[in-house]
Amino acid sequence: MRNEPESYTYAKAGVSIAAGNALVKAIAPLAKATARPGANADLGGFGGFFDLKAAGYEDPLLVAANDGVGTKLKLAIDYDRHDSVGIDLVAMCVNDLIVQGAEPLFFLDYFATGQLENGVAERVVAGIAEGCKISGCALIGGETAEMPGMYADGDYDLAGFCVGAVEREQALVGATLAEGDILLGLASSGVHSNGYSLVRRLADDKGWKLDRPALFDPEILLIEALIAPTKIYVKSLLPLMRSGQIKALAHITGGGLLENIPRVLPDNLHADVDARSWEQPRLMAFLQAQGNIEPEEMARTFNCGIGMILAVAPDNVADVKRDLEAAGETVYQVGQLRNGSKGCTISGDAKTWSALNNWSATHNG
């Protein structure tokens, strides 16, 4: 008797079209909840429409940003903390837009995994939708890719893409920056989404018990302190951007304070930051002590408690500080600009960031 040839299906190859369809159905209400003027947030088409005129723009420049969450995802996967990494994903993109003066308008996500687990994917997308609501942008589409053999069991990857707009005359390009401008720092909410390869290396080498209370705060599990979502600064900064009171902004991501501040400076200005002007968060002090990390390395790896830097004219400092604090931000005056080669210098004394002596770190570029 001759054997019948096997009939292949996509499901036999490890891809469930039904699971994908079920996920789209489940997340459609999440996306719809992010609707805003210019977008109705319906999913299911080949692309998402956005109406700039309906959003109130007359002569806008479009600004685009894309990013991921990095190895923070491994912590989320290993410790079943999938609910807030979507906020991280949105934050990394929208914070990059606001530093150019742009209001985030719409967001698209890319979720890739070996085998789709709808419970996990829905939790991740719910976080993305929450991040969109916090920042005022619409989740208008995305892509869910099920790719057997590409990822280990349970693993997934995330990428985000966001488009914003700014009226042409309000684009933030740092053209008015001058010697004597004051640098203000907005407090971060934790490690944010950079430096996690070092965090995870420390966790492995030091044998941290992440599901136990943190040594620096017994009221919180260590995993909760490490997984805390990236702070989204859009709604507190946008009114000040539009009023022209902020000259430049730097989002403190990979490269830390040391490398991100120079990105918004002209060739003739140098930023001097005094690390004594804010208290090192206990989480950052813990990471530094556990890794015996030098202050200079902290300054180029982590945000060190400051998630956003603003450059403001001296006459506007009091008003900007007042408005930001009213919006719920914690604000520090951390330094100023001086004439010199483009770059940043961060300095402290022997009591700052566990240093043994006075120290400084400089990045030119």
Side-chain angles (χ1 to χ4, degrees), residues 128-195:
I128 294 171
E130 177 64 19
C132 286
K133 283 193 281 187
I134 293 170
S135 55
C137 68
L139 178 59
I140 66 169
E143 168 70 4
T144 302
E146 190 175 21
M147 300 186 288
M150 284 288 288
Y151 298 90
D153 287 348
D155 278 357
Y156 60 86
D157 198 11
L158 277 180
F161 178 81
C162 194
V163 171
V166 56
E167 294 291 1
R168 190 177 301 271
E169 70 276 6
Q170 294 177 349
L172 206 62
V173 295
T176 62
L177 288 171
E179 183 177 28
D181 283 344
I182 301 300
L183 298 177
L184 300 178
L186 304 186
S188 64
S189 56
V191 185
H192 284 187
S193 296
N194 296 101

Side-chain angles (χ1 to χ4, degrees), residues 24 41-49 108 140-143:
V24 171
D42 282 336
L43 300 184
F46 288 96
F49 284 100
L108 300 100
I140 66 169
E143 168 70 4

Side-chain angles (χ1 to χ4, degrees), residues 11-339:
K12 283 184 178 181
V15 178
S16 173
I17 293 175
N21 291 338
L23 177 63
V24 171
K25 187 174 181 180
I27 65 178
L30 301 174
K32 199 166 187 64
T34 68
R36 52 150 295 148
N40 60 17
D42 282 336
L43 300 184
F46 288 96
F49 284 100
F50 192 91
D51 186 342
L52 278 169
K53 187 170 289 187
Y57 286 90
E58 296 179 4
D59 184 25
L61 297 172
L62 293 180
V63 187
N66 73 307
D67 214 330
V69 180
T71 56
K72 189 175 188 176
L73 282 181
K74 283 298 291 180
L75 287 180
I77 292 164
D78 292 345
Y79 291 88
D80 191 29
R81 296 299 198 280
H82 307 286
D83 302 276
S84 62
V85 288
I87 298 176
D88 285 297
L89 184 69
V90 175
M92 294 301 287
C93 293
V94 299
N95 286 341
D96 277 354
L97 292 182
I98 194 68
V99 301
Q100 294 168 98
E103 174 193 14
L105 299 177
F106 59 88
F107 190 90
L108 300 100
D109 68 279
Y110 176 79
F111 179 99
T113 187
Q115 183 173 6
L116 193 57
E117 297 179 36
N118 278 1
V120 170
E122 189 174 344
R123 289 165 66 188
V124 172
V125 176
I128 294 171
E130 177 64 19
C132 286
K133 283 193 281 187
I134 293 170
S135 55
C137 68
L139 178 59
I140 66 169
E143 168 70 4
T144 302
E146 190 175 21
M147 300 186 288
M150 284 288 288
Y151 298 90
D153 287 348
D155 278 357
Y156 60 86
D157 198 11
L158 277 180
F161 178 81
C162 194
V163 171
V166 56
E167 294 291 1
R168 190 177 301 271
E169 70 276 6
Q170 294 177 349
L172 206 62
V173 295
T176 62
L177 288 171
E179 183 177 28
D181 283 344
I182 301 300
L183 298 177
L184 300 178
L186 304 186
S188 64
S189 56
V191 185
H192 284 187
S193 296
N194 296 101
Y196 278 90
S197 293
L198 177 52
V199 170
R200 292 175 53 248
R201 176 66 181 268
L202 283 173
D204 288 343
D205 289 355
K206 303 296 181 179
W208 294 350
K209 305 297 184 185
L210 271 65
D211 55 355
R212 295 182 184 175
L215 292 175
F216 53 87
D217 185 353
E219 298 297 313
I220 188 172
L221 298 180
L222 181 53
I223 182 60
E224 298 297 345
L226 293 174
I227 209 77
T230 306
K231 187 170 179 58
I232 292 173
Y233 298 97
V234 171
K235 288 191 175 177
S236 57
L237 288 172
L238 199 56
L240 291 167
M241 310 288 291
R242 288 174 168 166
S243 67
Q245 295 181 79
I246 297 175
K247 290 188 172 188
L249 283 169
H251 182 202
I252 308 307
T253 53
L257 289 160
L258 205 55
E259 295 186 10
N260 281 287
I261 296 174
R263 295 171 65 180
V264 299
L265 300 180
D267 289 340
N268 65 322
L269 289 176
H270 195 92
D272 285 328
V273 175
D274 185 350
R276 299 171 300 177
S277 55
W278 74 95
E279 186 175 353
Q280 185 185 39
R282 288 178 294 175
L283 171 56
M284 294 294 168
F286 169 76
L287 294 173
Q288 184 178 9
Q290 289 283 302
N292 192 29
I293 303 171
E294 295 293 337
E296 297 89 342
E297 183 69 14
M298 290 293 293
R300 63 167 46 89
T301 302
F302 297 112
N303 64 57
C304 299
I306 302 293
M308 189 73 74
I309 290 284
L310 297 67
V312 180
D315 291 347
N316 289 333
V317 168
D319 289 344
V320 169
K321 194 169 185 291
R322 183 197 64 232
D323 289 351
L324 286 170
E325 287 174 344
E329 301 291 351
T330 301
V331 188
Y332 304 96
Q333 185 168 324
V334 301
Q336 64 179 12
L337 299 182
R338 62 172 169 84
N339 288 328

